[in-house]
Amino acid sequence: MHKYEYRGVIFDLDGVLTDTAHYHYLAWKRLAESVGAIFDEAFNEQLKGVDRMGSLNLILAASGKDFSEADKLTLADEKNLHYQSLIAQLSPADLLPGAAPSLQLIRAAGLKTALASVSKNAQAVIERLGIADQFDVVVDAAKIKNSKPDPEIFLTAAAGLGLTADVCFGVEDSIAGIRAIKSANMFALGIGSPAVLTEADVVIAGLHQFSLQDYLK
Ligand code: G6P
Ligand code: MG
């Protein structure tokens, strides 16, 4: 058996294992336009990994208008219903290239796997993708108090795996998520662009470029 530097891998979901980040983007864009906030890809990068109300508050602040708490809840529900309609047909075919092979490779090598997503839809998404049984631990919004960039979700996942942070690494496509991993004192593998994920230890374009060999001792 090979010796790896790590014993656990903690995955973000949206934008890492499947392209639901794009569906969140579409749903937030429609909402932003309905309240008169300017919304583009750069602004969207600030929302990735941030929980629903946190994201909504950032958009509403950009609109420059005031909203009551009741209005905010209605808008958050609207966005979520739109998002849920976009992910209704999700299937294993929607796994990003390299996602399923990476999970299988990691688990076959004897490392543990966890999911760390602040999405309240995370469980439904992994079930539709057919990968719910590929995680030893799933930590979602229901199990944490603080959204990324707080390290809580990654620390909770590591603890659930029975591992210390130094033997885990996190995989993330968001600025907030990379920050959360680094605050948890873990190695951060970024998925996306090095120009965006400047705080990641290593950035690859997607899990199709993931190689477990890079993590041998
Ligand atoms: C993930 C996504 C965010 C999304 C958040 C909450 O972190 O990266 O874009 O806003 O989950 O998702 P939810 O499904 O609970 O609205
Ligand atoms: Mg993500």
Side-chain angles (χ1 to χ4, degrees):
M1 193 87 148
H2 291 301
K3 283 272 179 228
Y4 294 96
E5 268 186 72
Y6 300 97
R7 295 179 55 204
V9 187
I10 306 173
F11 287 91
D12 172 48
L13 175 63
D14 300 317
V16 169
L17 297 170
T18 183
D19 202 12
T20 39
H22 181 62
Y23 297 133
H24 279 295
Y25 165 79
L26 291 176
W28 283 131
K29 186 169 166 34
R30 189 169 89 178
L31 182 132
E33 285 166 356
S34 79
V35 296
I38 292 173
F39 192 84
D40 56 18
E41 296 274 357
F43 186 80
N44 186 58
E45 290 300 336
Q46 310 302 316
L47 303 184
K48 288 185 182 173
V50 176
D51 65 15
R52 197 179 305 163
M53 289 313 282
S55 301
L56 178 69
N57 283 330
L58 288 170
I59 292 171
L60 297 184
S63 80
K65 296 177 195 135
D66 285 333
F67 294 85
S68 68
E69 285 308 309
D71 287 345
K72 286 184 185 179
L73 290 177
T74 306
L75 289 168
D77 278 350
E78 267 173 32
K79 183 269 174 180
N80 191 46
L81 285 175
H82 182 198
Y83 176 71
Q84 286 181 335
S85 74
L86 295 172
I87 61 165
Q89 303 303 323
L90 226 51
S91 79
D94 294 296
L95 281 163
L96 280 166
S102 298
L103 283 166
Q104 282 152 14
L105 212 74
I106 289 165
R107 293 173 67 79
L111 280 74
K112 294 216 153 88
T113 51
L115 189 80
S117 170
V118 305
S119 172
K120 293 194 166 109
N121 293 293
Q123 188 62 38
V125 169
I126 58 173
E127 278 166 22
R128 282 173 208 166
L129 293 172
I131 53 169
D133 59 352
Q134 295 293 302
F135 302 100
D136 299 292
V137 166
V138 173
V139 185
D140 61 14
K143 300 202 178 101
I144 51 149
K145 286 197 197 77
N146 306 297
S147 182
K148 300 165 187 177
D150 192 283
E152 183 185 1
I153 194 162
F154 286 96
L155 293 173
T156 305
L161 294 176
L163 298 173
T164 50
D166 57 315
V167 294
C168 292
F169 72 89
V171 190
E172 260 290 348
D173 70 317
S174 70
I175 298 167
I178 294 288
R179 221 162 258 171
I181 296 169
K182 294 314 298 173
S183 306
N185 280 318
M186 293 178 193
F187 179 91
L189 175 61
I191 300 291
S193 153
V196 174
L197 305 177
T198 53
E199 292 169 35
D201 292 298
V202 171
V203 180
I204 56 177
L207 284 174
H208 57 287
Q209 290 179 352
F210 177 76
S211 162
L212 200 52
Q213 301 304 311
D214 295 346
Y215 301 93
L216 285 172
K217 260 192 185 154

